[in-house]
Amino acid sequence: MTQGWIWKWVKVASEERVPLLWSFVYFFCLLCGYYMLRPVRDEMAIEGGVQHLPWMMTGTFLTLLIATPLFGWLSARLPRARLMLSVYVFFISHLLLFFAAMTAQWHLEWVARAFFIWLSVFNLFVVSVFWSFMADVFSPAQGVRLFGVIAAGGSLGAIAGPLATTGITYLWPIPVLMLVSAGWLALCGVCIARLDRWAAAHTTRGKIEGDMPLGGSMWAGIRAVAASPYLLGICAYLFLLTMSATVLYMEQTALVGREIPTPEARTRLFAGMDLIVNVLTFVTQVLVTNRLVLRFGLGAALLVLPVVTAVGFAAIVVNPVLPVFLSLTVARRVGEYAIAKPAREVLFTVLNREDKYKAKNFIDTAVSRGGDASTGWLVSGGKALGATTGIMAGVLVPMMLLWGWIGWRLGRQESALQRGVPTLR
């Protein structure tokens, strides 16, 4: 009886239940593994030196400039499942290396900086590839109904991850987290294999496409973005999202470093924030997201986060203290993960298959971390010229309104593309 009510509430057809459940479990495992490491990354940002954050963000961006065409090269040659599994094996091997380096306490400052860069790359890459896979398995109409539910699986994983981190750090040293996270990524491989097998067995398109490499050039994703007003609009939306997040993150990290004295206390604060965010995100994803999109449209869902951010920066102008920063961070992350992220992923379901992987990967990685790096240097330059936190927040408020307008317009364009209007590409 309860299961029937749940399926009815989330509007899932009987034939969609198996892939939905595997997708749910897949995202749970992925984000549980990541969120076990996220508090460590935030602490590493302090250990590596807050003053070095712009350099670490630039290092992340440069790494992605190399990784993105390599991913394009691989995706042109490997079938879907082998491509996905190769990505996960690659990152699991790095976790084992970090475990060895941290256990040996080898040049800890440099390991901290390398880990910050690595996890920033890892997060964007594996999550981008996950949603590319989802956009490949599900249709645009299914994406509107199901992506919020799938995202809720990630939120449960993101709840479990910080809890596990808090418990493990009381019993074992931080390097053990690398091994546990690697185990969660290995379970992702099982889910990938099952979803690929389901798509091959139940859809003609899934069988044909799953067995074939994407083909094309390693640079195809970059060229597709440059030639498409629709994809450039997604780039602008993501760039403004990243800019606002980076300003908030840098100012908050500096405040936490000044006001909270010990690494353990800071790590637990970050883990506690992750737990609060992900509980609220899960509830919103299950009860609100797909209803919001179905009732008010994709544009409205893409508008929520910019409005929340504009209000938050206005509050910082008035009172730039740590509790206001923490409150805005929580509200932003709930709005992003519960509403803006699933809505943004629906934008890619109307693209051709090559763009779903190559163009999307370029946007989610290079564009996002390019926004991080450029914003990091802008903040550092503004500080050097005497700009206060309040001044920077005030400048960002009208930019957040522009961001909201772009989101609204993208929602309208996606609807037009579903109806077959080619001029909007």
Side-chain angles (χ1 to χ4, degrees), residues 364-379:
D364 285 349
T365 57
V367 172
S368 179
R369 288 313 180 218
D372 275 344
S374 58
T375 304
W377 288 113
L378 283 172
V379 171

Side-chain angles (χ1 to χ4, degrees), residues 66-115:
I66 298 169
T68 299
L70 287 177
F71 177 78
W73 182 83
L74 277 177
S75 62
R77 287 158 177 79
L78 296 179
R80 179 174 60 197
R82 285 182 61 193
L83 172 67
M84 301 283 291
L85 292 172
S86 297
V87 169
Y88 284 88
V89 169
F90 178 75
F91 283 115
I92 287 171
S93 68
H94 290 173
L95 283 169
L96 300 180
L97 290 174
F98 276 118
F99 170 76
M102 291 178 181
T103 301
Q105 296 189 331
W106 181 79
H107 297 288
L108 290 181
E109 281 191 7
W110 286 101
V111 171
R113 294 165 190 164
F115 185 79

Side-chain angles (χ1 to χ4, degrees), residues 160-284:
L163 288 174
T165 294
T166 301
I168 288 172
T169 54
Y170 278 111
L171 301 173
W172 294 287
I174 284 176
V176 173
L177 295 172
M178 309 297 129
L179 299 180
V180 181
S181 180
W184 285 112
L185 295 187
L187 290 176
C188 291
V190 177
C191 298
I192 290 166
R194 294 303 298 262
L195 276 166
D196 191 67
R197 188 182 306 168
W198 179 90
H202 290 83
T203 65
T204 303
R205 178 178 64 86
K207 173 62 177 173
I208 295 171
E209 294 181 349
D211 290 341
M212 294 179 63
L214 294 173
S217 162
M218 64 190 292
W219 306 103
I222 300 172
R223 288 199 299 267
V225 170
S228 169
Y230 180 68
L231 292 175
L232 287 172
I234 297 175
C235 288
Y237 186 92
L238 185 59
F239 185 87
L240 289 168
L241 184 157
T242 303
M243 173 185 285
S244 59
T246 301
V247 172
L248 182 62
Y249 179 78
M250 291 183 69
E251 293 300 299
Q252 177 182 285
T253 301
L255 279 172
V256 169
R258 289 196 298 267
E259 298 188 16
I260 300 178
T262 66
E264 292 79 9
R266 292 191 294 261
T267 300
R268 288 172 193 141
L269 169 67
F270 295 135
M273 287 178 64
D274 287 341
L275 180 60
I276 293 169
V277 165
N278 292 309
V279 169
L280 294 175
T281 298
F282 175 75
V283 172
T284 305

Side-chain angles (χ1 to χ4, degrees), residues 371-393:
D372 275 344
S374 58
T375 304
W377 288 113
L378 283 172
V379 171
S380 295
K383 290 285 189 182
L385 293 172
T388 64
T389 299
I391 289 173
M392 289 190 292

Side-chain angles (χ1 to χ4, degrees), residues 82-164:
R82 285 182 61 193
L83 172 67
M84 301 283 291
L85 292 172
S86 297
V87 169
Y88 284 88
V89 169
F90 178 75
F91 283 115
I92 287 171
S93 68
H94 290 173
L95 283 169
L96 300 180
L97 290 174
F98 276 118
F99 170 76
M102 291 178 181
T103 301
Q105 296 189 331
W106 181 79
H107 297 288
L108 290 181
E109 281 191 7
W110 286 101
V111 171
R113 294 165 190 164
F115 185 79
F116 180 94
I117 292 171
W118 178 86
L119 194 66
S120 300
V121 172
F122 163 81
N123 172 36
L124 286 182
F125 235 92
V126 294
V127 173
S128 176
V129 170
F130 169 82
W131 284 111
S132 293
F133 192 29
M134 295 299 101
D136 206 14
V137 170
F138 296 104
S139 70
Q142 288 174 318
V144 168
R145 290 184 291 106
L146 304 181
F147 279 7
V149 181
I150 293 170
S155 293
L156 277 183
I159 292 168
L163 288 174

